[in-house]
């Protein structure tokens, strides 16, 4: 099994686990755990494949659904023993975001040959599942946090595509892309790293125009 395929399975499993952790915070039943885990685990990849007009990955390989349900079951059993679930959710989300940022870029590049499309697909694959999770569960969206988030998925795609273009052999681009994205997101979680924020200026007085 290649490093890229491993990253894909890792991303699905970790995102599914974050969905199940949110279900535990909402005190849902086991079916709710499985539903939210599956939605989060396959959401980004589904949107990516639809946009690329290729067969949706989990329809071709239903084992991805079993991975999501398995992650949900493990979290359902283990969640009562985890004290800081939201903190764990952030770290699992960071790892999944990094894995999907790379795999989405790989698939976008493989299908279209375009670096720009590949990087965009990495961002979509890495962020959409978490967005769906938070919207459906009524949780504060990770996108609304000040710390770096989408930029991590962007970095994953840029590093992966850039190293591919420079001729680095697999699995080096995938591993370096994942490490760069995870390191950036880890710094954002641990130290509050963020990009400069927009600061609005008061509008001009219409009477002085």
């Amino acid at each position: 099994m290649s490093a890229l395929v491993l990253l894909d399975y890792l991303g699905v499993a970790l995102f599914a686990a974050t969905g199940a952790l949110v279900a535990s915070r909402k005190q849902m039943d086991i079916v709710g755990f499985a539903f939210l885990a599956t939605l989060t685990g396959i959401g980004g990849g589904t949107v990516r494949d639809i946009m690329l007009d290729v067969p949706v990955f989990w329809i071709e390989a239903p084992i991805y659904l079993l991975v999501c349900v398995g992650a949900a079951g493990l979290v359902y059993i283990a969640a009562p023993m985890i004290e800081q679930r939201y903190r764990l959710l952030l770290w699992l989300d960071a790892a999944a975001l990094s894995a999907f940022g790379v795999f989405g870029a790989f698939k976008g590049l493989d299908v279209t040959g375009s670096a720009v499309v590949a990087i965009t697909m990495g961002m979509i694959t890495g962020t959409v599942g978490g967005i769906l999770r938070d919207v459906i569960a009524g949780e504060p969206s990770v996108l609304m946090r000040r710390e770096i988030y989408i930029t991590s998925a962007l970095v994953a795609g840029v590093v992966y595509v850039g190293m591919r273009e420079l001729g680095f052999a697999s699995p080096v681009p995938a591993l370096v892309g994942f490490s760069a994205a995870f390191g950036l997101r880890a710094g954002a979680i641990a130290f509050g790293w963020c990009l400069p924020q927009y600061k609005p200026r008061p509008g001009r007085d219409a009477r002085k125009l």
Side-chain angles (χ1 to χ4, degrees):
M1 186 178 291
S2 71
L4 284 163
V5 174
L6 283 173
L7 281 178
D8 192 29
Y9 278 107
L10 178 68
V12 169
L14 292 177
F15 260 138
T18 69
L21 281 171
V22 170
S24 75
R25 286 162 54 82
K26 297 296 180 179
Q27 299 181 343
M28 300 174 73
D29 60 25
I30 185 60
V31 175
F33 270 67
F35 172 78
L36 203 52
T38 302
L39 177 71
T40 310
I42 68 174
T46 300
V47 173
R48 175 200 65 218
D49 289 350
I50 290 172
M51 294 182 70
L52 290 173
D53 196 24
V54 297
V56 177
F57 72 105
W58 56 268
I59 294 178
E60 284 203 319
I63 190 173
Y64 284 102
L65 300 179
L66 299 180
V67 170
C68 292
V69 173
L74 288 174
V75 174
Y76 184 81
I77 295 169
M81 297 176 278
I82 302 171
E83 292 185 5
Q84 296 183 334
R85 288 182 224 171
Y86 188 67
R87 193 74 176 170
L88 177 61
L89 185 153
L90 289 177
W91 285 103
L92 291 177
D93 186 271
L97 173 74
S98 304
F100 268 177
V102 170
F103 188 80
F106 155 73
K107 194 160 188 180
L109 193 63
D110 188 55
V111 172
T112 69
S114 166
V116 174
V117 171
I119 293 166
T120 303
M121 289 300 109
M123 294 170 65
I124 288 172
T125 310
T127 59
V128 168
I131 295 170
L132 291 173
R133 174 196 66 214
D134 294 339
V135 169
I136 296 298
E139 287 276 291
S141 175
V142 288
L143 294 182
M144 297 297 103
R145 296 175 64 90
R146 289 175 58 88
E147 305 95 52
I148 289 171
Y149 187 76
I150 297 176
T151 307
S152 298
L154 172 64
V155 166
V158 168
V159 171
Y160 174 77
V161 172
M163 294 190 73
R164 278 276 302 270
E165 293 295 320
L166 290 172
F168 284 88
S170 180
V172 175
L175 297 177
V176 175
F178 173 86
S179 300
F182 184 76
L184 182 61
R185 181 63 185 142
I189 295 171
F191 306 113
W193 292 351
C194 61
L195 296 175
Q197 305 294 308
Y198 171 72
K199 296 180 180 179
R201 297 179 179 178
R204 292 185 179 181
D205 189 334
R207 294 170 296 181
K208 297 181 180 180
L209 294 178

